[in-house]
Amino acid sequence: MSPVLLIIIAATAIISYIAFSNQALFEKYKFNVGAILRNKEYVRLISAGFLHADLMHLLFNMMTLYFFGPIVIEVFGAFGFLLVYFGSILLGNIFSLYLYKNQSWYSAIGASGGVSGILFASIAMIPDLGIYFFFIPIAIPGYLFGFAYFAYSVYMMLNPKQHDNVGHAAHLGGAFFGLVYAVAIQPERAIDNGLYLGIMALPLIYMAYMVFVKKRIG
């Protein structure tokens, strides 16, 4: 395993574990709209990526990072991996901040934005990458998984459910950053995979129309 990937996973695991039993730490560094906009605590835009709701949340994110991080490191190098990971966390939280700027109570935690960026940078380079979903024994082509992921996240973001505590906006913002970064750095490869990427991006185009043109926020 790359030392950079190992450090990110270890740091996230340790900080998350400490914060499980340290409520003051958790509250100080989680993503919170009111604290960021009113108190200008911008560190929360990144620090929230080192906090998780529980052990399963942490394990799922770190396992995904463990499996897909090496692909990004191999293609873009360690610096590219760090840029995608932290850029995705940042953009995901900025997008959430934009959407929920009038809801000062809105809070979120987790590395899911960064993990989504790494996952979709991988899919952008290898659209037919086989992805196994939970215990389904058949691999799903990456671009079909990407389309379903985006479609579900967009739907849930625009039609929020009362007990849904998933930060879909952060997932979408992070995945968008990873996808765009991969396309910008490897345009020839992106052109070759254009059809797959176009199919995968359809829900994102719809989301952009609904949010930025129709001004609809769930």
Side-chain angles (χ1 to χ4, degrees):
M1 182 189 299
S2 164
V4 171
L5 180 58
L6 180 61
I7 290 170
I8 293 296
I9 291 176
T12 304
I14 291 169
I15 294 171
S16 292
Y17 183 77
I18 292 172
F20 287 157
S21 57
N22 188 330
Q23 192 64 29
L25 180 70
F26 187 87
E27 293 296 327
K28 183 176 180 179
Y29 292 109
K30 72 179 183 180
F31 175 91
N32 176 266
V33 170
I36 294 170
L37 294 182
R38 184 171 54 250
N39 303 332
K40 303 187 186 308
E41 297 177 6
Y42 300 118
V43 67
R44 292 172 182 261
L45 293 171
I46 292 294
S47 63
F50 289 91
L51 303 174
H52 288 80
D54 52 42
L55 188 59
M56 286 303 298
H57 185 203
L58 173 64
L59 285 175
F60 182 80
N61 274 339
M62 293 304 98
M63 285 181 62
T64 305
L65 192 61
Y66 174 83
F67 286 117
F68 292 95
I71 298 175
V72 175
I73 292 173
E74 181 179 348
V75 177
F76 303 111
F79 179 77
F81 166 81
L82 290 172
L83 188 59
V84 171
Y85 185 69
F86 287 108
S88 297
I89 290 176
L90 184 61
L91 184 62
N93 284 331
I94 288 174
F95 186 46
S96 297
L97 195 63
Y98 169 79
L99 289 179
Y100 305 113
K101 58 182 177 292
N102 296 322
Q103 301 176 32
S104 61
W105 50 266
Y106 183 87
S107 298
I109 38 86
S112 300
V115 173
S116 294
I118 294 298
L119 174 60
F120 279 88
S122 301
I123 294 175
M125 293 296 94
I126 314 174
D128 58 352
L129 176 70
I131 295 177
Y132 289 90
F133 189 68
F134 290 110
F135 298 106
I136 299 175
I138 302 174
I140 302 171
Y143 73 96
L144 291 180
F145 171 84
F147 174 85
Y149 179 96
F150 282 141
Y152 172 76
S153 296
V154 169
Y155 175 81
M156 293 301 291
M157 190 190 79
L158 295 176
N159 302 276
K161 308 301 181 184
Q162 183 177 359
H163 299 294
D164 180 23
N165 59 358
V166 177
H168 299 288
H171 292 187
L172 287 166
F176 177 79
F177 185 93
L179 193 60
V180 170
Y181 178 88
V183 170
I185 299 300
Q186 294 276 356
E188 298 87 358
R189 201 161 176 177
I191 291 173
D192 290 340
N193 298 329
L195 177 61
Y196 299 113
L197 297 181
I199 292 172
M200 190 167 63
L202 287 174
L204 288 181
I205 296 171
Y206 174 75
M207 180 201 70
Y209 172 74
M210 295 301 293
V211 171
F212 298 110
V213 178
K214 302 292 287 185
K215 303 296 182 182
R216 178 182 171 187
I217 299 175

